Amino acid sequence: MANGFFITFEGGEGCGKSTQSRFLFDELTSQGYNTILTREPGGVSSAEKIREILVQGNKDSLLPMSELLLLFAARYEHVEKKIKPELNKGTIVICDRFFDSSIAYQGYGHGIELKKIEQLKFLTIDFFEPDLTFLLNLDVSEGLSRSKKRDNKELRFENMDLSFHKKLHNGFIQIAKNNSERFSIIDASKSINQIKQNILGIVLNKLKLKKEL
Ligand code: TMP
């Protein structure tokens, strides 16, 4: 997409992707790169309202397909109103979760046919994809206990069964293997600083390669 660069962070609950995406944003900004940090579901006011319905309340409050449709409505708003315009200006866009989360959570987790999710993707954002995706890979139980310890109103997904979280975790690994040119799998059990340096090294290398093209 134009001259910008689109980086996404993915992973299960409590894997540290929000912390790491913030670190990357701060570092790239301090190095003089024009960068924004955003998130899904959310990122623009309409999508943030949809987020509240998705992440708060009882775990059974939505059927999986309704959840998926809401996620895509939020994503369409976010991509059209924020992500694409920023990329067109040459900005580095860092997004905490994106389309791969729908494949992992609604597809592998809830069992919605992956083909249906792909169809919704083409209907809304078409071939639009991140340039680089980090998967922060952490043991499921460890991640859930980290996530539930936080003072957090957004526990609707955390409250789903352990088996759901195990399925989506395996799903993420599968997605990363199927898209190996775009994905970097990061061992999220390492120290925060090791992870930060690992991610920064990969990003700076990609940005250098892009400049040389
Ligand atoms: P967060 O906790 O990483 O901010 O994400 C909010 C929740 O939304 C998280 O529990 C995962 C869920 N989610 C999906 O189920 N599918 C999606 O496509 C996205 C973007 C998020």
Side-chain angles (χ1 to χ4, degrees):
M1 163 67 48
N3 297 314
F5 198 72
F6 185 27
I7 304 170
T8 57
F9 281 78
E10 299 283 3
E13 305 301 327
C15 67
K17 61 183 176 39
S18 303
T19 306
Q20 290 298 335
S21 49
R22 163 71 53 190
F23 278 145
L24 182 64
F25 169 76
D26 290 343
E27 186 62 38
L28 292 179
T29 303
S30 76
Q31 291 197 19
Y33 288 98
N34 193 13
T35 311
I36 64 158
L37 175 60
T38 187
R39 68 172 181 180
E40 284 214 346
V44 291
S45 62
S46 50
E48 288 290 335
K49 284 185 195 146
I50 297 174
R51 178 185 177 97
E52 284 180 26
I53 304 172
L54 282 161
V55 300
Q56 295 184 20
N58 190 288
K59 68 180 166 63
D60 300 318
S61 60
L62 290 167
L63 292 171
M65 182 52 81
S66 319
E67 204 175 274
L68 184 70
L69 292 168
L70 286 172
L71 282 158
F72 269 95
R75 180 163 301 131
Y76 186 69
E77 287 284 303
H78 188 206
V79 168
E80 293 298 319
K81 291 180 177 169
K82 187 170 187 176
I83 299 179
K84 281 186 181 171
E86 287 294 339
L87 291 173
N88 282 330
K89 284 192 275 177
T91 307
I92 298 174
V93 176
I94 302 171
C95 191
D96 183 347
R97 293 198 186 282
F98 195 61
F99 167 72
D100 298 303
S101 278
S102 297
I103 296 278
Y105 278 75
Q106 282 66 46
Y108 285 92
H110 284 321
I112 296 179
E113 259 179 89
L114 301 188
K115 205 175 68 196
K116 288 190 179 167
I117 307 180
E118 291 289 344
Q119 283 168 343
L120 257 178
K121 176 178 187 276
F122 288 122
L123 193 67
T124 51
I125 59 170
D126 210 344
F127 289 103
F128 182 71
E129 287 217 322
D131 296 296
L132 173 63
T133 300
F134 290 104
L135 173 59
L136 273 70
N137 186 24
L138 184 68
D139 173 72
V140 174
S141 305
E142 164 75 20
L144 281 171
S145 80
R146 280 192 199 175
S147 181
K148 284 181 180 167
K149 263 186 222 150
R150 289 186 214 136
D151 180 21
N152 196 347
K153 279 196 301 183
E154 300 190 333
L155 288 174
R156 188 172 158 262
F157 285 95
E158 279 87 339
N159 286 335
M160 291 181 188
D161 298 347
L162 185 61
S163 66
F164 170 80
H165 289 281
K166 285 191 172 156
K167 281 188 267 182
L168 76 87
H169 177 263
N170 293 336
F172 268 130
I173 303 283
Q174 195 56 51
I175 298 165
K177 282 187 183 154
N178 295 346
N179 298 275
S180 55
E181 67 303 331
R182 171 164 66 87
F183 265 86
S184 283
I185 302 183
I186 303 292
D187 178 355
S189 66
K190 295 244 164 73
S191 77
I192 288 188
N193 201 41
Q194 275 174 310
I195 299 171
K196 181 177 162 183
Q197 295 311 328
N198 187 358
I199 289 173
L200 184 63
I202 293 169
V203 170
L204 292 178
N205 201 28
K206 293 269 182 194
L207 292 176
K208 192 169 148 244
L209 287 175
K210 183 174 175 266
K211 226 172 169 183
E212 286 165 6
L213 280 179

